[in-house]
């Protein structure tokens, strides 16, 4: 045998061994090519009728995958087929619309291989996203022990949490999962601080379940200390002229997350686009009080419009084009802060129109949280612990906007006009709803009395009388025309559940910034319009 040449017997043995290994691994390799996408699993909720739930996964390119929904006793309810696309190796199918309920099994078959998911229910699926106030767990909120103990009473509210992840490119599937689809327990709802599972998301789902009485699936994708730009696609940012790198540091450094544009969209939202959704709940904005504050009146509507468009397309048209989108208006942060960035951000959350839904933000709803301050929160005052009222107000908006409940009051009173009493220096402001006057605050209302718009000389306009739908303000300090009117325009506008005005359902009047324009001869009646004439910093 020449030196350097392999031993023929040894080579033959190696070939036989290699063949044996390949044969032994063949079933595993074939099985590994078939599977559901990462966020499908036992105990999950799929979207019920009238939409069809999108189901997708992986397989051998060119192969046919059969998807079967089975009920009790293995009775086949539905069968779908899909061909695996190359080179991605993915397959998709849309299930026929299913009535609410379960349990079902969901099986994918490819040749002799199959993967089965069990305890599947059909109901409504809600996506919850945002930053640290969305990421706060039930363990961290008021009355945590009672809330955790109650979890076992809601086995049909199912929960799922994507792990925090970032990517410079759009991902097709999630990098990692913190909590696979689960039946709620005290352990998975109270896992830790700012980890899975979101208290606001859980409470919203629980309140919706109590109203709907059918399964609700909750998907959390949140990361503390993150600006809206990180959750926005490149398309949405381009629409607002914002594509530069966001390199500033979050002011809440212990919770600081990625700041770079689109990295959370790429890793945590884009992988979910094939999911058929019923609605979205959003709790974010704190980081944008220091980063691109006055772009938020563009970036927020652009994110909503973009998410709606791509979730509709990604689900093969099953997610509604005007996907219901609820959000939380910012609460308080620092007492007696002269900075008005929180007030401006709250205004921009409504696209500078004060209330939603509106022309720029159709089919949206808002939970006003300016009165839910928490100065002694162990997580900092920017993280108030009363998430029950936040979720309660959100769920009212969802029931009215997403589910079309008629005559349901879901937002606080808002002004429609003002009449100036020149001789007595009074301004009578008329509201849409019956008012509850909670607390006298000399600075709750302010008027712009300058002869110029910018900078405006804002002066207190104390409340002198409150009737069922009208507030009368004193204008003693105003020596010129009233050019503007604003309410609760402060970082810390009031004490806990003690703002000046509520409605009879205990919902607070939202902050506003309004122009006043003479509407009749003599200028006695004033027309209230969104404060577009004022500069962003006013």
């Amino acid at each position: 045998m020449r030196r350097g040449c392999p031993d023929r017997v040894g080579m033959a043995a190696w070939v036989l061994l290699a063949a044996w290994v390949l044969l032994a691994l063949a079933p595993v390799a074939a099985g590994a090519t078939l599977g559901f996408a990462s966020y499908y699993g036992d105990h999950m909720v799929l979207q019920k009728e009238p939409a069809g739930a999108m189901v997708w996964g992986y397989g051998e390119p060119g192969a046919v995958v059969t998807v079967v929904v089975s009920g009790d006793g293995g009775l086949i309810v539905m069968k779908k087929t899909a061909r695996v696309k190359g080179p991605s190796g993915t397959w998709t199918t849309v299930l026929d619309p299913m009535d609410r309920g379960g349990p079902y099994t969901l099986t994918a078959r490819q040749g002799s291989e199959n993967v089965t998911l069990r305890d599947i229910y059909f109901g409504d699926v809600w996506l919850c996203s945002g930053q640290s106030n969305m990421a706060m767990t039930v363990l961290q909120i008021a009355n945590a022990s009672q809330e955790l103990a109650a979890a076992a009473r809601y086995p049909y509210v199912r929960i799922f949490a994507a792990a925090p992840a970032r990517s410079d490119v759009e991902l097709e599937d999630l990098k990692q999962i913190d909590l696979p689809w689960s039946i709620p327990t005290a352990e998975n709802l109270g896992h830790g601080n700012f980890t899975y599972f979101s208290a606001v998301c859980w409470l919203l789902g629980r309140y919706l379940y109590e109203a709907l009485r059918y399964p609700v699936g909750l998907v959390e994708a949140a990361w503390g200390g993150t600006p809206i730009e990180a959750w926005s696609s490149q398309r949405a940012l381009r629409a607002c002229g914002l594509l530069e790198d966001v390199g500033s540091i979050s002011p809440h450094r212990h919770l600081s997350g990625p700041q770079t544009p689109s990295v959370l969209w790429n890793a945590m939202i884009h992988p979910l686009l094939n999911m058929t959704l019923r609605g979205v709940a959003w709790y974010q904005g704190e980081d944008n009080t220091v980063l691109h504050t006055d772009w938020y009146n563009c970036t927020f509507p652009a994110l909503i419009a973009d998410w709606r468009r791509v979730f509709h397309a990604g689900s093969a048209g099953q997610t509604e084009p005007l996907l219901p989108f609820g959000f939380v208006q910012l609460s308080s942060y620092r007492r007696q802060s002269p900075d008005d960035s929180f007030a401006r951000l709250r205004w921009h959350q409504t696209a500078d129109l004060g209330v939603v839904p509106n022309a720029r933000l159709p089919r949206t709803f808002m939970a006003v949280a300016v009165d839910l301050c928490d100065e002694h929160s162990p997580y900092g005052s920017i993280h108030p612990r009363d998430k029950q009222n936040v979720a309660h107000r959100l769920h009212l908006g969802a029931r009215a906007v997403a589910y079309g409940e008629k005559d349901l009051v879901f937002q606080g009173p808002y002004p429609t006009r003002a009449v100036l009493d020149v001789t007595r220096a009074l301004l009578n402001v008329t509201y849409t709803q019956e008012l509850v006057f909670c607390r006298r605050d000399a600075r709750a209302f302010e008027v712009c009395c300058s002869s110029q718009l910018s900078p405006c000389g804002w002066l207190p306009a104390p409340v002198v009388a409150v009737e069922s739908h009208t507030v009368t303000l004193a204008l003693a300090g105003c020596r010129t025309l009233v050019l503007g009117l604003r309410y609760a325009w402060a970082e810390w506008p009031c004490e806990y559940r003690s703002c000046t005005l509520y409605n009879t359902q205990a919902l607070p009047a939202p902050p506003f910034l309004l122009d006043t324009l003479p509407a009749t001869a003599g200028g006695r009646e004033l027309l209230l319009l969104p404060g577009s004439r004022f500069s962003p910093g006013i």
Side-chain angles (χ1 to χ4, degrees), residues 348-382:
H348 296 329
Q349 286 181 292
T350 69
D352 297 355
L353 292 168
V355 289
V356 299
N358 59 46
R360 291 192 64 198
L361 297 174
R363 290 207 84 193
T364 61
F365 51 96
M366 174 175 71
V368 176
V370 292
D371 65 331
L372 301 181
C373 54
D374 189 354
E375 190 172 19
H376 303 294
S377 170
Y379 315 106
S381 58
I382 203 167

Side-chain angles (χ1 to χ4, degrees), residues 3 17 50 55 62 68 92 103 129 184 202 216-217 236 240 254-255 305 315 337 373 382 434 443 480 486 511 520 527:
R3 191 169 187 162
L17 176 62
V55 178
V68 177
T92 61
S129 188
W202 162 249
V216 175
C240 295
H254 64 295
L255 291 175
S315 64
S337 169
C373 54
I382 203 167
E434 185 176 348
R443 296 204 68 93
T480 61
R486 68 187 189 184
T520 61
L527 178 65

Side-chain angles (χ1 to χ4, degrees), residues 262-416:
S262 302
V263 292
L264 302 184
W265 155 264
N266 290 340
M268 299 179 70
I269 302 300
H270 189 269
L272 304 177
L273 295 186
N274 290 348
M275 184 180 289
T276 307
L277 296 179
R278 186 67 182 87
V280 175
W282 174 260
Y283 198 162
Q284 190 276 333
E286 294 88 351
D287 261 49
N288 283 98
T289 61
V290 294
L291 183 68
H292 295 151
T293 304
D294 291 312
W295 285 96
Y296 208 89
N297 63 0
C298 180
T299 52
F300 190 38
L303 177 142
I304 294 173
D306 186 61
W307 282 26
R308 284 172 165 169
R309 184 167 52 252
V310 293
F311 271 103
H312 177 67
S315 64
Q318 299 305 302
T319 296
E320 294 179 74
L322 282 180
L323 175 66
F325 198 107
F327 62 95
V328 183
Q329 195 175 45
L330 293 189
S331 184
S332 305
Y333 181 25
R334 298 167 298 189
R335 187 188 294 274
Q336 297 179 341
S337 169
D339 185 0
D340 76 339
S341 60
F342 261 63
R344 299 197 330 263
L345 201 288
R346 291 185 193 114
W347 184 242
H348 296 329
Q349 286 181 292
T350 69
D352 297 355
L353 292 168
V355 289
V356 299
N358 59 46
R360 291 192 64 198
L361 297 174
R363 290 207 84 193
T364 61
F365 51 96
M366 174 175 71
V368 176
V370 292
D371 65 331
L372 301 181
C373 54
D374 189 354
E375 190 172 19
H376 303 294
S377 170
Y379 315 106
S381 58
I382 203 167
H383 299 116
R385 288 166 290 178
D386 181 358
K387 294 299 193 274
Q388 289 88 343
N389 267 299
V390 168
H392 173 71
R393 294 169 186 179
L394 264 181
H395 111 281
L396 290 177
R399 286 168 57 188
V401 174
Y403 294 96
E405 285 195 39
K406 303 299 182 184
D407 304 319
L408 177 67
V409 176
F410 66 98
Q411 55 192 349
Y414 201 73
T416 56

Side-chain angles (χ1 to χ4, degrees), residues 80-225:
K80 295 283 182 177
T81 59
R83 188 169 294 278
V84 181
K85 295 174 291 187
S88 66
T90 60
W91 53 266
T92 61
T93 189
V94 176
L95 302 182
D96 296 336
M98 290 283 290
D99 197 3
R100 63 195 186 189
Y104 295 95
T105 60
L106 181 67
T107 301
R109 294 195 181 100
Q110 175 188 274
S112 61
E113 304 299 326
N114 68 81
V115 180
T116 298
L117 307 180
R118 294 175 173 83
D119 192 38
I120 306 299
Y121 280 78
F122 286 85
D124 282 344
V125 182
W126 283 78
L127 170 63
C128 301
S129 188
Q131 57 181 113
S132 53
N133 269 299
M134 182 61 85
M136 282 180 74
T137 67
V138 178
L139 185 70
Q140 298 177 267
I141 66 173
N143 301 316
S145 58
Q146 296 96 309
E147 296 290 357
L148 291 172
R153 300 205 303 266
Y154 299 93
Y156 301 113
V157 181
R158 304 293 175 85
I159 55 179
F160 173 95
R166 72 187 88 190
S167 173
D168 293 331
V169 296
E170 293 180 339
L171 303 182
E172 294 306 310
D173 205 350
L174 295 172
K175 280 186 175 181
Q176 192 175 344
I177 293 167
D178 269 347
L179 181 68
W181 280 103
S182 302
I183 298 171
T185 65
E187 289 72 28
N188 56 33
L189 286 176
H191 181 75
N193 293 345
F194 302 104
T195 59
Y196 59 89
F197 185 78
S198 165
V200 168
C201 193
W202 162 249
L203 292 167
L204 170 63
R206 199 186 86 185
Y207 297 156
L208 285 176
Y209 174 79
E210 289 170 347
L212 301 169
R213 309 309 299 181
Y214 60 73
V216 175
L218 302 172
V219 177
E220 178 193 344
W223 193 334

